[in-house]
Amino acid sequence: MIMLCLYEIVDKCDTQWTIHLKGANDLIRLRRKQQTALSKSTEPSDPVTGFAEQFFAFQDVMGRTACAKEVLFGTDYWKPEERSIDLWMGCSPELVSILAKITDMSRTRRQYTSEEDKSSYFLRAASLERQLEGLVQEVGEGEDEVLAIVADAKRLAAMLYLHCALYGSDPTTPLVKSYVRQILHLILNLLDRGSTANVTWPVFVASVELDPSDDELNPDSETDSGSGRAIVLRSLATMADSTISNIARTRAVITKLWQTRDSDLIKGATPQNDCNDWEWHVVPISNAMSLA
């Protein structure tokens, strides 16, 4: 089922791959139910089963950050105290657990109407923000610096995602600009090192929140500057040759969003219907994306 899922992702990256995702979820839930009935632990009994569950759960969480659909694989698939960076994921399970919670909150944001509900919502958001700020992702013995850079890029992207999805920040927000530039600096570092594995998601998050009127990486420098969009396109071109993913779909979504932002900038258009920037610009065009 993993191979079927990967085939559909690489082929067209449309809703077909999510069918296999849902099928895998049903099988995993059935296995866990049977284990519970036998009074056994629901933890995978062998490494292959463990990897399969993690593969599908990770694909689910990362893809749904963009489209804001309900997460199939809940937070129980992730150990919130596990800070060791997973080589395949490029981040810690704790970070993925936080991302799943952010996505869940973003989906229910507009359901909080009373002052008490809103207060509870912002307290929870602030708690997740503090967790991300203090998150330490541990590199295993013998693993190189590149893995730590990738993990930090994902942590920063998670901070950026939280502020946009939960607090309603947009590309013109100073904090958003800061996070975007920090992420792109790390991506540029990885490009110079010739390693762009596991960075599809941070590249995507940074690119969709680039300010079209201010995308210079070092705006205060007269000598060391560069376009954020150019760095994104360069990284996508590099990843296309080294990543088992559909970079063409990712690039298409990013460029379409850039065109929309450019048009909105000219027209002076802003999000409507109580939507925040992420809901208005990113969610509608990001269904069934694979960003793992």
Side-chain angles (χ1 to χ4, degrees):
M1 194 166 283
I2 289 178
M3 296 306 296
L4 288 172
C5 191
L6 285 174
Y7 172 79
E8 296 294 351
I9 288 172
V10 175
D11 184 35
K12 294 181 180 178
C13 198
D14 56 14
T15 55
Q16 285 297 114
W17 78 269
T18 63
I19 293 174
H20 301 303
L21 188 71
K22 293 172 183 175
N25 183 46
D26 290 340
L27 288 174
I28 292 169
R29 288 174 62 187
L30 177 61
R31 184 196 70 80
R32 290 191 166 198
K33 186 177 180 180
Q34 291 173 339
Q35 293 293 95
T36 301
L38 295 172
S39 299
K40 294 182 179 180
S41 171
T42 58
E43 291 294 318
S45 57
D46 62 273
V48 175
T49 302
F51 173 77
E53 289 192 6
Q54 187 183 70
F55 170 85
F56 289 112
F58 188 58
Q59 288 282 357
D60 180 53
V61 171
M62 303 310 288
R64 292 176 194 276
T65 57
C67 66
K69 295 288 181 66
E70 183 178 1
V71 175
L72 292 176
F73 294 79
T75 54
D76 57 319
Y77 285 89
W78 308 104
K79 297 178 180 178
E81 72 283 355
E82 181 53 71
R83 296 190 168 189
S84 296
I85 301 172
D86 183 275
L87 283 170
W88 175 71
M89 296 193 301
C91 63
S92 66
E94 182 176 7
L95 176 60
V96 185
S97 174
I98 295 171
L99 283 175
K101 293 173 183 176
I102 295 172
T103 301
D104 282 342
M105 284 189 65
S106 72
R107 293 183 62 256
T108 59
R109 180 182 66 85
R110 281 181 280 184
Q111 295 177 11
Y112 300 98
T113 55
S114 70
E115 289 303 315
E116 184 178 353
D117 287 344
K118 290 179 181 178
S119 177
S120 175
Y121 170 86
F122 284 114
L123 284 173
R124 289 171 59 201
S127 175
L128 292 174
E129 183 180 0
R130 286 193 298 272
Q131 289 179 52
L132 285 173
E133 287 175 342
L135 180 63
V136 176
Q137 300 186 90
E138 300 169 354
V139 179
E141 186 177 349
E143 293 169 359
D144 60 21
E145 185 183 358
V146 168
L147 188 60
I149 295 173
V150 170
D152 197 39
K154 290 192 174 184
R155 185 188 67 83
L156 290 170
M159 290 290 291
L160 175 56
Y161 171 56
L162 181 147
H163 278 272
C164 294
L166 301 188
Y167 292 148
S169 299
D170 61 43
T172 64
T173 306
L175 190 60
V176 168
K177 292 184 180 185
S178 175
Y179 281 131
V180 167
R181 286 176 177 137
Q182 288 180 66
I183 294 165
L184 292 182
H185 271 295
L186 292 178
I187 299 302
L188 194 56
N189 186 335
L190 292 170
L191 283 168
D192 291 341
R193 292 168 180 261
S195 178
T196 54
N198 286 323
V199 293
T200 305
W201 188 69
V203 168
F204 175 81
V205 175
S207 65
V208 298
E209 291 299 330
L210 267 170
D211 185 347
S213 64
D214 181 20
D215 87 328
E216 290 296 313
L217 196 58
N218 298 298
D220 299 325
S221 173
E222 295 182 1
T223 57
D224 182 22
S225 189
S227 164
R229 290 188 178 186
I231 293 169
V232 168
L233 292 175
R234 179 186 164 194
S235 64
L236 291 172
T238 303
M239 285 189 288
D241 297 326
S242 60
T243 304
I244 304 177
S245 186
N246 196 313
I247 299 301
R249 169 83 198 284
T250 305
R251 184 191 295 110
V253 170
I254 290 171
T255 53
K256 182 176 181 179
L257 186 141
W258 285 349
Q259 291 168 358
T260 301
R261 288 204 186 280
D262 290 343
S263 176
D264 286 351
L265 183 64
I266 295 170
K267 297 176 182 177
T270 57
Q272 305 294 318
N273 303 323
D274 195 32
C275 289
N276 61 34
D277 181 80
W278 191 271
E279 293 165 340
W280 185 256
H281 285 107
V282 183
V283 171
I285 60 174
S286 302
N287 188 42
M289 289 193 71
S290 171
L291 296 170

